[in-house]
């Protein structure tokens, strides 16, 4: 089944939020040093400034669950965009360190909410056959934002020193304002959320705009409702109980989904991106113009390979892409480490090549995969909660890495630091090799049963039997006839 025009539009709208997140990372790479010079920050204050956005994003991610489950996916986008607008304006006008950190707090809360909602929303409106490609759009958009952020130093070069970084943040109000307009005028609510609230008629109307004309949408609504009932049947209590006391299948799902999200930051991506200028300077490149051009070049490399990865996830599968990604990163980080240990006149060239290889390898697998896997393995009944927890722990790991990057590199040496990251990449590879099953082509409604079969979780399998026994035979016959007519049936 082809992707409908409406699905493309809705996914692109959601991706603008990711682009906004990436823009903040991009300008943060350069603004950190500019602010340090302008406001006279210490090295520790700069590290706290850089790491604070991830710290507050942890709490934004947790709050996303309540907003998303209670008020819907669309309103969650509004919350994220509003936090961004207030945050970047306060950061841009800050004259003291305390006001600066207040702005970062609001931006961080918006980042956390955005990270939790973007892949979730796209996964819930995407056909299973194309979900891998469409969910990776959010990572592509994030990197478009990073490149835009990297480019701001060149765009704003004519502006006087001391105000350049302020205009970088002020420009960050444009995308969230557009995002608010799109949510209010273009984006529909998630059909799955509507079904979970008993609003099948509204879900049916939205699904008709997503699927091709003539497609039997009744089948889609039926499977959504049935899967939700099945997942709720195995919950021990309301709220977070299924997270803290999961059945075997849910435990494996949580281990995989949350583990991949944490691993994405454990390999050092955000910390390296935030301090790329420092790495380039340590490699011997001192020209500000060369540094800015290299930032844009590395950003374009990362963006290019994310597009490649997005295309391959639905062709080659999740496991192969993630394994190739981690092996490539481990080799690249080892190359950078060795180059720092044996510093020579050609060191800068090898380090630039190693950074490009690292970013390319990350983008092929771990970049988009770290949000694709959680978005598709978590069942509807816990998806918002589990995505929030994944984003929380993802940002917690990012906070630890970003706020200790310079201190750790200075303590154990830059060669030692990149060697440590190489080892972590190999450990993550071992973890995914053992615990991650292949999920390519499976519908979201099938995930809990799939993991139940893998783990032998009788609670979910028995719930499936009870649901089957409770079905009306006449309804089942009708559904069977419809499914026979729809041979290319897919559940989004």
């Amino acid at each position: 089944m082809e992707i409908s025009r409406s699905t493309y539009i809705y996914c692109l709208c959601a991706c603008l939020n990711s682009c906004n997140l990436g823009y903040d990372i991009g300008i943060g790479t350069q603004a950190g040093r500019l602010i340090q010079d302008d406001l006279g920050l210490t090295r520790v204050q700069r590290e706290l400034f850089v790491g604070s956005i991830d710290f507050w994003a942890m709490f934004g991610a947790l709050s996303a669950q309540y907003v998303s489950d209670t008020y819907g996916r669309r309103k969650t986008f509004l919350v994220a965009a509003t936090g961004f607008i207030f945050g970047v304006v306060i950061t841009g006008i800050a004259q003291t360190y305390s006001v600066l950190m207040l702005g970062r707090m609001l931006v961080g809360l918006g980042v956390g909410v955005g990270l939790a909602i973007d892949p979730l929303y796209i996964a819930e409106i995407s056909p299973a056959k194309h979900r891998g490609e469409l969910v990776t759009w959010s990572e592509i958009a994030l990197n478009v934002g990073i490149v835009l952020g990297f480019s701001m130093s060149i765009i704003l070069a004519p502006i006087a020193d001391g105000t350049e970084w302020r205009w970088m943040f002020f420009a960050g109000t444009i995308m969230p304002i557009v995002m608010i307009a799109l949510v209010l005028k273009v984006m529909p609510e998630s059909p799955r959320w509507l079904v979970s609230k008993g609003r099948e008629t509204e879900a049916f109307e939205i699904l008709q705009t997503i699927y091709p004309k003539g497609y039997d949408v009744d089948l889609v609504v039926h499977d959504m409702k049935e899967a939700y009932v099945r997942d709720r049947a195995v919950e021990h209590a309301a709220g977070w109980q299924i997270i803290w006391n999961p059945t075997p299948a849910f435990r494996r799902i949580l281990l995989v989904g949350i583990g991949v999200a944490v691993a994405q930051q454990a390999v050092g991506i955000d910390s390296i991106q935030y301090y790329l200028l420092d790495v380039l300077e340590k490699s011997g490149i001192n020209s500000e113009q060369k540094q800015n051009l290299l930032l844009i070049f590395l950003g374009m490399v990362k963006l290019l390979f994310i597009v490649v990865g997005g295309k391959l996830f639905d062709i080659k599968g999740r496991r192969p892409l993630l394994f190739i990604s981690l092996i490539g990163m481990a080799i690249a980080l080892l190359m950078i480490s060795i180059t720092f240990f044996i510093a020579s006149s050609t060191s800068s060239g090898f380090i630039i090549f190693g950074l490009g290889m690292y970013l390319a390898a990350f983008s092929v697998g771990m970049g988009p995969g770290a949000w694709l896997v959680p978005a598709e393995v978590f069942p509807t009944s816990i998806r918002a909660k589990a995505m929030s927890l994944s984003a929380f722990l993802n940002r917690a790991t990012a906070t630890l890495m970003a706020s200790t990057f310079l201190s750790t590199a200075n303590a154990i040496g830059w060669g030692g630091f990149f060697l440590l990251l190489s080892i972590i990449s190999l450990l993550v590879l071992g973890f995914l090799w053992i615990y991650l099953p292949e999920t390519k082509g499976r519908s979201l409604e099938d995930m809990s049963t799939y993991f139940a079969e893998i783990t032998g979780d009788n609670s979910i399998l028995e719930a499936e039997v009870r649901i089957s026994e409770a079905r009306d035979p006449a309804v089942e016959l009708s559904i069977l006839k419809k499914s026979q007519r729809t041979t290319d049936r897919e559940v989004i």
Side-chain angles (χ1 to χ4, degrees):
M1 184 183 69
E2 295 298 322
I3 304 174
S4 69
R5 180 173 175 270
S6 295
T7 303
Y8 276 125
I9 293 173
Y10 302 153
C11 288
L12 286 172
C13 290
C15 286
L16 182 63
N17 194 57
S18 294
C19 190
N20 191 36
L21 306 182
Y23 176 82
D24 187 82
I25 294 174
I27 61 172
T29 302
Q30 302 164 88
R33 294 209 306 186
L34 294 173
I35 294 172
Q36 183 178 21
D37 295 337
D38 188 36
L39 299 184
L41 307 185
T42 65
R43 187 191 72 194
V44 174
Q45 285 178 317
R46 180 187 166 194
E47 284 185 315
L48 291 175
F49 168 79
V50 172
S52 63
I53 190 171
D54 290 322
F55 175 77
W56 291 111
M58 294 160 49
F59 301 99
L62 287 182
S63 66
Q65 176 270 322
Y66 173 78
V67 178
S68 181
D69 272 351
T70 305
Y71 301 105
R73 310 326 190 197
R74 293 172 70 247
K75 291 183 179 179
T76 310
F77 279 111
L78 293 178
V79 171
T82 303
F84 264 107
I85 293 170
F86 281 102
V88 295
V89 170
I90 291 174
T91 304
I93 65 175
Q95 298 293 332
T96 64
Y97 186 67
S98 57
V99 175
L100 188 73
M101 296 300 281
L102 172 63
R104 294 303 274 175
M105 178 187 74
L106 294 175
V107 172
L109 292 172
V111 167
V113 174
L115 283 174
I117 191 62
D118 286 6
L120 183 153
Y121 179 84
I122 296 174
E124 290 190 338
I125 63 170
S126 301
K129 182 179 179 181
H130 303 286
R131 189 171 58 243
E133 177 183 353
L134 293 175
V135 172
T136 58
W137 280 15
S138 64
E139 186 71 13
I140 293 172
L142 185 138
N143 281 271
V144 170
I146 290 176
V147 173
L148 288 175
F150 285 167
S151 304
M152 290 305 290
S153 61
I154 295 177
I155 296 172
L156 299 175
I159 296 179
D161 292 341
T163 59
E164 180 184 0
W165 64 270
R166 297 182 187 278
W167 285 104
M168 288 181 180
F169 286 106
F170 290 147
T173 61
I174 297 173
M175 281 187 279
I177 290 174
V178 175
M179 188 75 225
I180 290 175
L182 291 174
V183 170
L184 295 177
K185 299 294 184 180
V186 180
M187 297 173 67
E189 185 51 82
S190 161
R192 279 187 172 79
W193 183 81
L194 292 171
V195 169
S196 73
K197 298 300 180 182
R199 296 159 60 179
E200 289 92 346
T201 301
E202 294 175 62
F204 180 87
E205 293 174 354
I206 294 170
L207 288 168
Q208 283 186 313
T209 70
I210 294 174
Y211 278 99
K213 186 177 181 180
Y215 194 91
D216 196 345
V217 177
D218 283 324
L219 290 171
V220 182
V221 175
H222 174 271
D223 275 359
M224 286 183 179
K225 189 173 182 179
E226 183 178 278
Y228 184 74
V229 171
R230 179 181 64 236
D231 294 337
R232 294 288 292 182
V234 299
E235 289 194 63
H236 301 299
W240 291 79
Q241 181 62 27
I242 193 64
I243 301 288
W244 309 133
N245 186 27
T247 65
F250 276 68
R251 186 179 301 114
R252 180 72 172 270
I253 288 171
L254 291 168
L255 182 65
V256 168
I258 295 174
V260 172
V262 170
Q264 184 198 51
Q265 291 302 318
V267 297
I269 184 61
D270 269 19
S271 56
I272 289 177
Q273 286 182 148
Y274 278 129
Y275 294 102
L276 266 176
L277 288 176
D278 296 86
V279 177
L280 293 175
E281 188 175 300
K282 284 291 181 180
S283 71
I285 300 172
N286 297 311
S287 168
E288 184 176 333
Q289 184 178 15
K290 286 184 179 180
Q291 289 176 356
N292 290 332
L293 290 174
L294 283 171
L295 278 183
I296 297 173
F297 168 74
L298 291 172
M300 292 300 294
V301 168
K302 191 168 183 284
L303 176 59
L304 172 64
F305 279 88
I306 283 180
V307 175
V308 173
K311 293 290 184 181
L312 292 177
F313 263 117
D314 286 324
I315 299 173
K316 301 298 182 182
R318 283 49 163 163
R319 280 172 60 91
L321 267 293
L322 289 171
F323 296 159
I324 291 171
S325 174
L326 287 161
I327 293 171
M329 281 191 290
I331 294 172
L333 290 165
L334 181 61
M335 180 188 303
I336 297 172
S337 172
I338 293 173
T339 304
F340 272 118
F341 278 127
I342 58 170
S344 67
S345 59
T346 59
S347 293
S348 60
F350 281 107
I351 289 176
I352 293 169
F353 179 80
L355 287 171
M357 180 178 175
Y358 168 80
L359 294 173
F362 175 85
S363 301
V364 166
M366 283 302 293
W371 295 115
L372 168 61
V373 171
E376 66 182 2
V377 300
F378 295 138
T380 302
S381 61
I382 66 166
R383 186 171 295 128
K385 299 181 182 68
M387 283 297 292
S388 293
L389 186 58
S390 297
F392 174 85
L393 294 175
N394 174 276
R395 291 299 93 188
T397 309
T399 300
L400 176 64
M401 301 295 290
S403 60
T404 60
F405 182 95
L406 292 178
S407 299
T408 305
N410 290 330
I412 65 176
W414 289 75
F417 182 75
F418 282 98
L419 177 61
L420 176 63
L421 291 179
S422 180
I423 294 171
I424 291 174
S425 298
L426 293 176
L427 292 176
V428 171
L429 175 63
F431 167 79
L432 295 182
W433 182 273
I434 295 172
Y435 292 106
L436 176 67
E438 183 55 67
T439 55
K440 181 187 74 169
R442 291 186 175 273
S443 73
L444 299 185
E445 280 65 41
D446 289 339
M447 287 296 176
S448 57
T449 304
Y450 177 45
F451 276 85
E453 292 170 353
I454 293 173
T455 60
D457 188 342
N458 291 326
S459 61
I460 291 180
L461 297 176
E462 290 171 0
E464 179 74 15
V465 172
R466 289 197 299 272
I467 291 173
S468 298
E469 292 174 347
R471 289 170 178 158
D472 186 333
V475 173
E476 286 301 297
L477 179 60
S478 174
I479 292 174
L480 178 60
K481 290 179 179 178
K482 290 178 181 178
S483 65
Q484 288 173 341
R485 292 196 304 268
T486 316
T487 57
D488 62 338
R489 173 189 170 192
E490 290 175 316
V491 178
I492 59 170

